[in-house]
Amino acid sequence: MASVNALVITGYGTNCHEESAYALRTAGAENADIVYFSDLAAGHVRMDDYNFLLCPGGFLDGDDLGAAQAAALRWRWSTSKDGTPVLDQLKTFFDNGGLILGICNGFQLLCKLGLLPAVGEKYFERQVSLSYNDSGRFEDRWVTLKTNPASPCVFTKDIEYMEVPIRHGEGKIIPMDDATLETIVNNNLHAVQYVDPETREPTQEYPYNPNGSPLGIAGLTDPTGRILGLMPHPEAYNHKTNHPSWTRGTNPDFPLGLAMLEAGVNHLKTQ
């Protein structure tokens, strides 16, 4: 059984790295190192020592230039002291079977790097972006999610519904064009959707869909299923007492958000 050695990237405004690393360890990862991107870029740490990459939430660079835009440029142009571009390390990491999870700001980063949705397996070519919520304000609430059973995503395996918190101001998915959205749907790359908690069907209705994302899309995967990005925070629901209704016993019998991280860890351990 393979060991899971996780890398959690922080720095430049990221603020969810501690709970992300904790959630990974709770999910069964043998190791979860919190590493500043600057140390990765300097060559003090190398990605080939890991098999699970988590890009957590936060406010990268204060969301200047647009959410995660500056960070995407940093990933594209940083080169370590030995002359190895960080992006080459990332490509090798993925080609060697590594898993990548991007949460909130991390999802925005993966989209702007072109790792998601990678329609037609065109990696590192931007096909979608994320823009301001239709409400025009920062949304901080719990949402109900439905996973797509036809999706290849390894992180959503055996999960049907979840309740998890969201906290973002730029979460609306904007495809490059209508054809891109159609291809995403036809290939089941829409891994997670916001749903009405009563009907449990994907919705555009606010506040169940907190940002107005088309088709209620809350998260995307790539054609291999080894990359997932989503706006909600599964790592923030790692114990039953995190749920606002736990003392009243009114929360649905859904799995913890931790189940997504556990699915990723179990995938690596069975390879």
Side-chain angles (χ1 to χ4, degrees), residues 206-228:
Y206 178 85
Y208 308 129
N209 179 335
N211 49 50
S213 226
L215 305 179
I217 298 174
L220 297 170
T221 191
D222 76 309
T224 72
R226 291 190 289 113
I227 305 176
L228 172 65

Side-chain angles (χ1 to χ4, degrees), residues 42-56:
H44 301 318
V45 179
R46 292 193 58 85
M47 292 186 66
D48 51 19
D49 293 328
Y50 300 89
N51 55 6
F52 194 135
L53 171 65
L54 196 155
C55 297

Side-chain angles (χ1 to χ4, degrees), residues 116-134:
L116 287 173
V119 167
E121 299 188 3
K122 295 179 180 178
Y123 291 91
F124 297 99
E125 178 181 307
R126 188 183 299 188
Q127 298 170 330
V128 305
S129 190
L130 290 116
S131 190
Y132 297 106
N133 301 338
D134 279 357

Side-chain angles (χ1 to χ4, degrees), residues 246-262:
W246 81 274
T247 58
R248 299 191 294 273
T250 57
N251 52 311
D253 188 23
F254 296 157
L256 301 178
L258 194 68
M260 280 188 172
L261 284 79
E262 290 172 337

Side-chain angles (χ1 to χ4, degrees), residues 33-269:
D33 290 339
I34 297 172
V35 172
Y36 281 84
F37 178 83
S38 55
D39 285 330
L40 184 66
H44 301 318
V45 179
R46 292 193 58 85
M47 292 186 66
D48 51 19
D49 293 328
Y50 300 89
N51 55 6
F52 194 135
L53 171 65
L54 196 155
C55 297
F59 291 92
L60 276 166
D61 303 288
D63 286 342
D64 292 332
L65 307 180
Q69 174 64 18
L73 294 173
R74 189 178 299 117
W75 274 84
R76 286 186 180 278
W77 297 112
S78 294
T79 301
S80 62
K81 290 181 179 179
D82 66 0
T84 304
V86 173
L87 210 60
D88 284 358
Q89 286 193 52
L90 181 57
K91 291 175 182 177
T92 301
F93 171 87
F94 183 62
D95 290 343
N96 288 340
L99 297 188
I100 302 175
L101 176 60
I103 301 171
C104 197
N105 224 171
F107 178 30
Q108 295 161 341
L109 173 63
L110 296 183
C111 288
K112 292 182 179 180
L113 278 176
L115 280 170
L116 287 173
V119 167
E121 299 188 3
K122 295 179 180 178
Y123 291 91
F124 297 99
E125 178 181 307
R126 188 183 299 188
Q127 298 170 330
V128 305
S129 190
L130 290 116
S131 190
Y132 297 106
N133 301 338
D134 279 357
S135 66
R137 63 190 181 197
F138 185 86
E139 297 290 340
D140 185 356
R141 67 181 74 251
W142 282 68
V143 294
T144 306
L145 303 177
K146 177 182 181 180
T147 66
N148 178 1
S151 168
C153 184
V154 305
F155 293 96
T156 57
K157 185 178 179 181
D158 299 325
I159 300 172
E160 188 174 7
Y161 295 98
M162 309 181 79
E163 281 194 350
V164 289
I166 58 99
R167 42 191 188 235
H168 61 256
E170 297 178 51
K172 183 176 181 177
I173 292 174
I174 307 292
M176 180 173 60
D177 49 38
D178 291 341
T180 299
L181 179 60
E182 183 179 355
T183 306
I184 287 170
V185 173
N186 289 342
N187 288 275
N188 290 297
L189 301 182
H190 57 306
V192 190
Q193 293 170 283
Y194 301 108
V195 299
D196 183 311
E198 296 297 326
T199 66
R200 297 190 181 180
E201 291 300 323
T203 184
Q204 292 297 113
E205 184 181 353
Y206 178 85
Y208 308 129
N209 179 335
N211 49 50
S213 226
L215 305 179
I217 298 174
L220 297 170
T221 191
D222 76 309
T224 72
R226 291 190 289 113
I227 305 176
L228 172 65
L230 72 167
M231 289 309 302
H233 285 261
E235 85 291 357
Y237 187 18
N238 54 65
H239 190 272
K240 67 178 182 179
T241 56
N242 298 141
H243 196 284
S245 296
W246 81 274
T247 58
R248 299 191 294 273
T250 57
N251 52 311
D253 188 23
F254 296 157
L256 301 178
L258 194 68
M260 280 188 172
L261 284 79
E262 290 172 337
V265 167
N266 290 338
H267 173 81
L268 288 173
K269 288 190 173 184

